[in-house]
Amino acid sequence: MAKEKISAEKLHEICYSCGIETIWQRYDAQDPHCGFGTLGLCCKNCNLGPCRIDPFGEGPQVGTCGANADTISARNLARHAAAGSACHSDHGREIARTLLLFGQGKAPSYAIKSEEKLKKVAGEYGIKIEGRKNEEIAVDLGNAMLADFGKQNEAPVFFKRAPKKQQKIWKNLKIVPQGIDRPIVEMMSRTNIGVDADYKNIMLGTMKTSLADGWAGSMIATEASDILFGAPQAIRSQVNLGVLKDDEVNIIIHGHVPLLSDVIVTATRDEEMLKLAKSKGAKGITIAGICCTANEILMRRGVPVAGSFLQQELAIATGAVEAMVVDLQCILPGLTTVASYFHTKLISTHPKAKFPGMEHIEFEEEKALEVAKEIVTKAIENYPKRDKKKVNIPKEKMELIAGFTAENIFYYLGGKYRGTYRPLNDAIISGRIRGVAGVVGCDNPKIQSSKAHMQMVKELIKHDVLVVQTGCSALACAREGLLVPEAAGKFAGKGIQEVCEAVGIPPVLHLGSCVDNSRILIACTNMVKEGGIGEGIDELPVAGAAPEWMSEKAIAIGWYFVASGALVVFGNEFPVSGSKNMMKYVTEDVEKVTGGKWAFEKDPIKGAHIIIKHIDKKRKALKLGDVMYKSETTKAK
Ligand code: SF4
Ligand code: MSK
């Protein structure tokens, strides 16, 4: 293996030539993928099956029970959305529980880092604030948030945050979720054999389940994290595998829930740990993130990001990682194969996510710092085992600015209306900004390995659409240099350039992790409340996209935006394409009930233009007139 600095692509080639199997080889080995699964036409919900529908109309058109393509694909999609909602919401539950434990004095490694948010959110929950200690408020708020999960007959508290118009639509459709857990359980129940067979009714249930994720489970995760770990502020850092150091102990933290990773960051800054690292011959300790744990500690602690979902194996293949510490979600079991070629210790930490071949050190909120120090010590002790001949750290790294939120995002737009959404709404009304798009979600080896995000986002900002991002999509665009103010001059249209140059913000704003898509819901709500661009989210010149989605969580996210009135463009196949009725429902009919709908387009440039066309349609309906500046359309590939 080469000793000099190399590119990330070269690292990929090195894995290939050394026979180190990664996600790309495993993906190829699965080709051709099961056609029934791709179309959503297989069902194994009972032991009369598994059943499948022949998409060519020659074989069976119903399963043994009589369920047709519409019912089967709707049930499959509903279960995906339920699983995705469960994943995000469970994340929220853990943070709320830690808030409670902190208040009870049982989690001393944590603190209230945003007293302002604690009091604001407690106020929304109707909790008394005056004359009370933070700990007392934390106990009441933790309990109240946890109670939201188990409610049986009323909506979680944050539903009051939604625009009145959306609340009314949901009420009329009877899709206001009762609690958070109940709609998820209900979705599993109604998709059993012999229960709900009406695809339209199943989709209403799917929207109810997904709304419980966006407006409650994920929102609780975001808000409770801001309270415990600090409300983010714009912060500079770096991204890509080049953030790893060849003369320091490198620790990667990977997953989603920041409960342990935040404390690990604290542990790596401990003098005792630094002394130990030096005693082993290292110059210091570098900590870097992968996936949404990366986003969490990036936006609050400025910790650099090693990579997104697709880079987790490549990070180990640098040969320079002493430990990769994982919590929950998006962790490839295949990591153990790559790690077997190197000295890297893989450490799982969560009782709900163990991996054969990984060492397990269980995380407990009650002794978080102790566990974090144990893990950091193990990483340091592994440093002398690093084989210098196997070290290949790619040279690429890029600056980025992260840490925008629904509260601070337009504070940065400045002016005399500081702290309000007036400057944004006015920029949209005047046509300087065409509209806003949320481009989010995973990266996927099916699609050009994270290039789709960059191409779509560049096309959007070129046409003066301000872009907000979360998850791996934000990290992919950060690697391409889109999350710095200078990107406006290079890539954006004249309108966005004027705004960004006046106030020094990037044309693409990093809003956090996957659960922080809830921040986009709030930003949309704030735009509605500010006035002048519609009475509901369905009227705003906004849209969402996940050009490379792969996780079930993305389906839940997409659905809660569609149910909230937004257009959502996905770049991959949607697993209902085997049913004409379901495709018509999700791309057309649902718009008549919620104002939102889905669109599917593999080409990211064409996907961007679906969004631009939609934004222009909304502008026209609002009688806003043309945008100030015109841009050339990039040729679709
Ligand atoms: Fe087959 Fe119906 Fe059972 Fe599904 S629920 S496996 S379609 S019999
Ligand atoms: S980490 S869910 S690959 S965005 Fe949130 Fe990235 Fe998708 Fe996982």
Side-chain angles (χ1 to χ4, degrees):
M1 291 184 189
K3 273 190 203 149
E4 70 277 13
K5 297 251 181 184
I6 54 152
S7 71
E9 266 104 41
K10 185 81 182 149
L11 188 61
H12 190 183
E13 281 168 29
I14 287 172
C15 285
Y16 193 73
S17 62
C18 296
I20 303 172
E21 184 191 270
T22 62
I23 191 167
W24 288 275
Q25 283 86 54
R26 293 191 298 272
Y27 173 75
D28 287 345
Q30 286 292 331
D31 210 35
H33 287 246
C34 169
F36 296 108
T38 305
L39 298 170
L41 293 180
C42 58
C43 178
K44 48 186 178 58
N45 290 10
C46 86
N47 200 30
L48 297 175
C51 302
R52 72 260 180 277
I53 305 298
D54 181 356
F56 305 109
E58 287 159 16
Q61 293 303 296
V62 289
T64 310
C65 67
N68 63 14
D70 305 338
T71 306
I72 289 175
S73 59
R75 284 178 178 170
N76 289 337
L77 189 69
R79 285 193 167 200
H80 288 315
S85 300
C87 224
H88 281 150
S89 300
D90 221 25
H91 172 165
R93 189 194 326 262
E94 297 209 1
I95 314 274
R97 184 176 162 271
T98 306
L99 181 64
L100 171 64
L101 289 174
F102 164 78
Q104 292 170 331
K106 294 179 186 164
S109 309
Y110 301 94
I112 299 297
K113 297 250 179 81
S114 174
E115 192 175 339
E116 189 187 342
K117 191 147 243 193
L118 172 76
K119 292 186 173 166
K120 180 181 169 284
V121 176
E124 288 182 70
Y125 271 84
I127 292 162
K128 185 174 174 284
I129 297 160
E130 293 75 32
R132 300 184 77 201
K133 287 188 187 152
N134 283 347
E135 286 77 0
E136 292 170 314
I137 301 172
V139 168
D140 284 357
L141 183 57
N143 274 323
M145 283 176 158
L146 289 172
D148 262 348
F149 286 85
K151 278 181 179 156
Q152 298 302 309
N153 290 310
E154 54 179 314
V157 167
F158 288 145
F159 271 74
K160 286 186 295 197
R161 290 179 165 191
K164 292 274 172 294
K165 184 174 179 188
Q166 268 59 51
Q167 292 190 43
K168 199 168 159 207
I169 291 171
W170 301 333
K171 197 166 168 220
N172 290 342
L173 291 171
K174 299 193 174 135
I175 58 171
V176 178
Q178 315 95 320
I180 300 168
D181 292 343
R182 186 174 163 188
I184 295 169
V185 171
E186 188 182 286
M187 206 64 255
M188 296 309 288
S189 147
R190 70 199 279 176
T191 49
N192 254 256
I193 177 169
V195 191
D196 203 351
D198 177 343
Y199 70 93
K200 290 184 185 172
N201 202 40
I202 296 170
M203 286 305 98
L204 287 174
T206 304
M207 285 192 265
K208 180 163 78 170
T209 307
S210 304
L211 284 169
D213 171 0
W215 289 93
S218 282
M219 209 170 271
I220 286 174
T222 295
E223 298 294 52
S225 294
D226 282 358
I227 292 167
L228 281 175
F229 305 117
Q233 296 297 323
I235 191 165
R236 237 178 216 276
S237 190
Q238 292 183 320
V239 60
N240 218 341
L241 293 170
V243 303
L244 299 174
K245 307 246 172 70
D246 56 12
D247 53 4
E248 294 198 3
V249 173
N250 290 308
I251 302 174
I252 298 244
I253 34 192
H254 172 19
H256 278 74
V257 184
L259 289 170
L260 176 62
S261 48
D262 189 85
V263 186
I264 288 185
V265 177
T266 305
T268 56
R269 290 171 185 176
D270 185 290
E271 274 307 314
E272 192 193 322
M273 292 289 136
L274 287 169
K275 225 165 111 188
L276 182 64
K278 285 184 182 157
S279 77
K280 301 288 174 189
K283 286 203 174 133
I285 306 170
T286 289
I287 185 141
I290 295 264
C291 278
C292 279
T293 280
N295 285 315
E296 298 279 355
I297 52 171
L298 158 72
M299 63 183 166
R300 297 195 177 89
R301 311 283 297 258
V303 170
V305 176
S308 51
F309 174 70
L310 281 181
Q311 290 179 295
Q312 55 188 287
E313 291 169 307
L314 295 182
I316 294 174
T318 62
V321 173
E322 275 54 59
M324 181 179 276
V325 188
V326 305
D327 53 75
L328 289 164
Q329 302 174 27
C330 300
I331 297 143
L332 298 174
L335 284 174
T336 51
T337 307
V338 184
S340 68
Y341 291 86
F342 300 93
H343 74 304
T344 307
K345 263 186 187 304
L346 296 176
I347 301 172
S348 60
T349 57
H350 203 286
K352 278 184 279 189
K354 295 187 180 179
F355 300 82
M358 280 194 201
E359 179 176 353
H360 187 75
I361 301 178
E362 194 133 316
F363 162 69
E364 289 169 51
E365 289 88 341
E366 289 85 344
K367 42 178 193 164
L369 190 57
E370 214 177 297
V371 176
K373 282 190 176 173
E374 183 186 345
I375 289 171
V376 174
T377 303
K378 280 198 183 259
I380 295 170
E381 281 169 353
N382 201 25
Y383 181 75
K385 296 197 191 126
R386 189 191 286 184
D387 180 348
K388 290 207 168 81
K389 292 193 294 302
K390 288 185 177 177
V391 172
N392 284 296
I393 302 175
K395 59 184 179 310
E396 293 109 332
K397 60 182 168 185
M398 181 56 74
E399 295 283 311
L400 84 159
I401 296 183
F404 294 94
T405 65
E407 291 87 6
N408 74 24
I409 192 171
F410 300 117
Y411 175 83
Y412 292 105
L413 285 172
K416 65 178 169 170
Y417 298 110
R418 230 183 164 107
T420 80
Y421 275 58
R422 201 65 254 155
L424 174 71
N425 284 23
D426 284 348
I428 291 173
I429 291 166
S430 69
R432 184 165 273 116
I433 292 178
R434 184 185 293 261
V436 182
V439 183
V440 307
C442 325
D443 39 15
N444 188 327
K446 277 186 183 175
I447 298 186
Q448 295 177 289
S449 299
S450 85
K451 296 286 181 214
H453 300 287
M454 179 265 290
Q455 289 171 355
M456 176 180 272
V457 168
K458 273 191 185 167
E459 190 65 5
L460 288 168
I461 58 173
K462 183 177 171 190
H463 288 82
D464 289 325
V465 177
L466 184 69
V467 173
V468 294
Q469 293 210 277
T470 63
C472 291
S473 185
L475 302 178
C477 290
R479 285 198 296 272
E480 300 290 338
L482 294 175
L483 273 65
V484 286
E486 308 84 76
K490 276 195 213 156
F491 307 112
K494 207 158 170 251
I496 297 262
Q497 273 185 33
E498 285 174 0
V499 172
C500 293
E501 279 162 15
V503 295
I505 58 166
V508 183
L509 302 173
H510 180 292
L511 254 69
S513 66
C514 295
V515 291
D516 292 329
N517 285 310
S518 65
R519 297 191 199 274
I520 302 179
L521 292 176
I522 298 302
C524 288
T525 305
N526 290 346
M527 287 163 74
V528 171
K529 282 191 187 149
E530 192 60 51
I533 47 174
E535 297 299 312
I537 295 174
D538 55 309
E539 294 176 44
L540 294 175
V542 302
E548 302 192 24
W549 79 276
M550 65 87 198
S551 167
E552 289 176 310
K553 291 175 284 176
I555 294 182
I557 295 166
W559 266 121
Y560 68 66
F561 275 101
V562 169
S564 300
L567 165 77
V568 173
V569 182
F570 267 27
N572 275 334
E573 303 92 349
F574 208 47
V576 298
S577 49
S579 158
K580 281 199 183 97
N581 284 332
M582 270 294 289
M583 279 303 277
K584 183 170 173 298
Y585 183 83
V586 301
T587 58
E588 294 173 30
D589 301 349
V590 68
E591 192 176 21
K592 295 180 197 106
V593 286
T594 69
K597 64 176 178 178
W598 294 85
F600 307 104
E601 175 52 61
K602 276 199 166 101
D603 185 303
I605 303 291
K606 288 184 185 164
H609 281 279
I610 292 173
I611 290 174
I612 291 165
K613 208 170 148 200
H614 177 81
I615 286 176
D616 286 349
K617 195 176 96 184
K618 296 290 173 185
R619 290 185 63 86
K620 204 168 166 202
L622 291 164
K623 303 193 173 34
L624 293 185
D626 282 345
V627 287
M628 265 186 197
Y629 307 107
K630 297 261 183 278
S631 296
E632 290 287 304
T633 297
T634 305
K635 219 169 158 211
K637 298 209 170 75

